[in-house]
Amino acid sequence: GLKGAEAVRFGGTKAEFEVRSAEEIVAFSPPGKGNVGVVVETAGGVSNERNFAYVPSATVSLTSSPNPSVRGQKVTFTATVSPSGEGGPTPIGTVSFVEGTSTLGVVNLSKGVAKLSTTALGAGEHPVVAEYSGDSHYGEGRSAAVAQVVSKATTETTLTSSLNPSPF
């Protein structure tokens, strides 16, 4: 009897929703914390309450050093994953360092930090993001992109002669 749904509420807060059929509604949870009851309101009344648990998110930040760098120079990307709110356990899991559709590497978090060092970046600008896998306490997260600038390496040319001095 969901076809005539008029509202979906998460802990009393109205949510956006889409009725798919008489048996299915897709609701978009409003911001919240903890566990809340969810009900559907129709012209015929209010549904039984169902429990909904918000999964806290983690904040993911990314830095690189040195930036700018030179082709062939070691660059270290450092991702820090921390709880969005105060307190909470230190996030665990993995961080993928990604440029476009290419994964530069996957690193386990240690005390909320993951570091990846590489010398494989070519000359140019590399937009890199850190993608957190999530764990039993926190949902997945993604950092803002860091634009790693890599300059062309300098070259040195040396000229030698096999016969020096040479006859005229």
Side-chain angles (χ1 to χ4, degrees), residues 1 21 28 32-33 44 65 69 75 106-107 120 128 130 132 139 150 159 161 165:
S21 71
F28 302 94
K33 291 181 179 179
S65 180
S69 61
V75 174
V106 179
V107 178
V128 176
Y132 171 56
V150 180
L159 178 63
S161 171

Side-chain angles (χ1 to χ4, degrees), residues 74-88:
K74 181 168 75 172
V75 174
T76 301
F77 292 97
T78 303
T80 303
V81 182
S82 55
S84 292
E86 290 184 33

Side-chain angles (χ1 to χ4, degrees), residues 33 55-59 81-92 111-112 132 135-138:
K33 291 181 179 179
V55 176
S57 61
T59 302
V81 182
S82 55
S84 292
E86 290 184 33
T90 300
I92 59 173
K111 298 180 182 176
Y132 171 56
D135 63 20
S136 61
H137 299 285
Y138 304 103

Side-chain angles (χ1 to χ4, degrees), residues 62-106:
L62 178 65
T63 60
S64 66
S65 180
N67 194 2
S69 61
V70 176
R71 170 76 174 108
Q73 183 178 13
K74 181 168 75 172
V75 174
T76 301
F77 292 97
T78 303
T80 303
V81 182
S82 55
S84 292
E86 290 184 33
T90 300
I92 59 173
T94 60
V95 173
S96 298
F97 294 88
V98 179
E99 178 186 7
T101 58
S102 299
T103 300
L104 302 175
V106 179

